[in-house]
């Protein structure tokens, strides 16, 4: 048991360091460059190097001890600050998910509605053409827009919504109601696969949170905009791929395990009278 807990602690520490500290350290380095250079000297490598050497320059033994102590203090301060920045990026994952999926809040609600309507009109045109001609190419173009009639301003939002719509059409179920009960019946490997897939999607949204933080540095150093755009593009791509996998796994899970839930909840169910009697018996400790 001790070995298991030690291994679990090691994995949690590795995950904490990888997801929070390392990205935070990278951000701190960029932030240091931003505040050292500013807009005017944004490309001055010499100035950046001078700032670095100022922390490591040699001198008399007393000076060297002071520099060593400064380096230790910087490292000790950088780790918790990096972790705090990682937590902030994770907190921004929620707004990033809303931005990538929609519907968008005020003051962008009107834009969200118009974009959803445009996507819905394009989808309807492709769907109508497919039904008239039964052309597989038309079906592919329709599905490239969305697997369901668009309800969100982005394809990513509709892809995550699609399992609920398609499973309601297929089985007549409300996924939000059925899923918690179905989850409890799933075998451990299936749960682990779903958890891992959802984790990759959440990580992509967190990466979008880092893009927001890098964008904030642009107020001091304009090249941070380029870094933010690059990180945002990677985050969007990863979110698109992860959402596709996760949504497909959710549908497959319901297809394969819904019958188990139906069997477990089949009639006859305990009556309210039986339920009250059982509750009373448990309260008495009998």
């Amino acid at each position: 048991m001790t070995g298991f807990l030690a291994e679990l602690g090691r994995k949690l520490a590795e995950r904490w360091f990888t997801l929070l500290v390392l990205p935070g350290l990278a951000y701190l380095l960029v932030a240091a460059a931003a505040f050292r250079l500013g807009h005017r000297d944004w490309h001055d490598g010499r100035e950046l190097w001078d700032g670095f050497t100022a922390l490591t320059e040699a001198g008399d033994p007393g000076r060297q001890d002071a520099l060593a102590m400064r380096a230790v203090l910087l490292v000790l301060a950088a780790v918790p600050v990096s972790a705090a920045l990682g937590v902030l990026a994770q907190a921004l994952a929620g707004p990033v998910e809303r931005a990538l999926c929609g519907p968008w809040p005020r003051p962008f609600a009107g834009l969200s509605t118009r974009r959803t309507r445009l996507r819905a009109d394009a989808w309807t045109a492709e769907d109508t053409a497919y039904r008239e001609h039964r052309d597989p190419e038309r079906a592919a173009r329709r599905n490239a827009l969305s697997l369901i009639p668009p309800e969100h301003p982005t394809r990513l939002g509709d892809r995550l919504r699609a399992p609920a719509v398609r499973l309601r059409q297929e089985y007549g179920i409300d996924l939000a109601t059925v899923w918690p009960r179905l989850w409890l019946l799933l075998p451990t490997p299936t749960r682990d696969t779903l958890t891992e897939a959802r984790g990759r999607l959440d990580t992509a949204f967190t990466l979008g949170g880092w893009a927001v933080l890098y964008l904030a540095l642009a107020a001091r150093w304009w090249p941070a905009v380029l870094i933010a755009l690059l990180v945002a593009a990677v985050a969007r791509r990863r979110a698109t791929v992860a959402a596709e996998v996760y949504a497909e796994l959710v549908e497959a899970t319901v297809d394969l395990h819904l019958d188990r839930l139906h069997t477990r909840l089949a009639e006859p169910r305990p009556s309210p009278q039986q339920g009250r009697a059982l509750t009373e018996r448990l309260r008495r400790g009998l």
Side-chain angles (χ1 to χ4, degrees):
M1 186 66 179
T2 303
F4 169 76
L5 292 176
E7 181 65 17
L8 179 61
R10 184 182 66 83
K11 290 184 177 180
L12 289 175
E14 289 178 354
R15 183 175 178 82
W16 173 79
F17 190 78
T18 301
L19 295 181
L20 297 181
V21 177
L22 283 182
L25 288 174
Y27 182 85
L28 285 178
L29 290 175
V30 175
F35 281 90
R36 179 71 183 186
L37 299 178
H39 292 304
R40 187 181 63 180
D41 300 323
W42 65 270
H43 64 299
D44 192 344
R46 181 67 180 177
E47 177 67 18
L48 194 60
W49 179 254
D50 289 343
F52 173 75
T53 55
L55 296 174
T56 58
E57 61 185 357
D60 58 80
R63 175 65 174 169
Q64 289 179 341
D65 292 342
L67 289 173
M69 181 59 66
R70 185 192 301 177
V72 171
L73 292 175
L74 283 175
V75 171
L76 292 177
V79 172
V81 171
S82 299
L85 288 169
V87 172
L88 179 58
Q90 289 183 336
L92 290 172
V96 169
E97 180 177 359
R98 185 75 178 272
L100 291 177
C101 298
W104 299 328
R106 292 183 178 180
F108 306 105
L111 178 61
S112 176
T113 301
R114 290 193 297 273
R115 182 172 171 79
T116 302
R117 185 166 56 248
L118 289 174
R119 296 186 69 250
D121 292 342
W123 188 93
T124 301
E126 294 293 347
D127 184 61
T128 301
Y130 164 70
R131 295 181 184 279
E132 289 178 354
H133 305 288
R134 294 297 172 181
D135 183 2
E137 184 177 342
R138 290 282 188 176
R141 289 164 58 179
R142 178 199 63 190
N143 292 342
L145 290 171
S146 177
L147 294 179
I148 59 172
E151 302 176 2
H152 295 80
T154 66
R155 187 183 187 281
L156 182 59
D158 284 325
R159 187 63 188 98
L160 291 174
R161 173 65 178 160
V165 175
R166 286 152 64 95
L167 292 170
R168 183 174 65 244
Q169 295 172 347
E170 181 73 17
Y171 301 111
I173 64 171
D174 176 56
L175 184 60
T177 302
V178 169
W179 187 255
R181 295 158 178 82
L182 181 62
W183 178 263
L184 297 176
L185 297 177
L186 296 178
T188 299
T190 302
R191 288 193 202 179
D192 291 343
T193 301
L194 286 164
T195 301
E196 182 181 352
R198 179 66 209 193
R200 287 195 294 268
L201 182 59
D202 292 336
T203 300
F205 292 140
T206 300
L207 186 60
W210 283 111
V212 175
L213 292 180
Y214 278 111
L215 185 61
L217 291 178
R220 176 69 183 178
W221 189 54
W222 73 261
V225 173
L226 303 179
I227 300 176
L229 291 175
L230 177 61
V231 174
V234 174
R236 185 177 183 278
R237 175 59 182 168
R238 288 185 178 181
T240 300
V241 174
E244 189 71 34
V245 173
Y246 179 68
E248 196 66 34
L249 283 173
V250 169
E251 287 195 49
T253 298
V254 175
D255 287 336
L256 295 176
H257 298 282
L258 184 61
D259 58 334
R260 296 182 60 192
L261 180 63
H262 185 270
T263 300
R264 292 294 296 270
L265 296 179
E267 298 293 345
R269 307 296 298 164
S271 67
Q273 293 81 3
Q274 291 173 314
R276 285 191 289 269
L278 177 61
T279 300
E280 186 66 22
R281 178 181 177 183
L282 294 175
R283 284 175 177 171
R284 292 175 178 174
L286 301 177

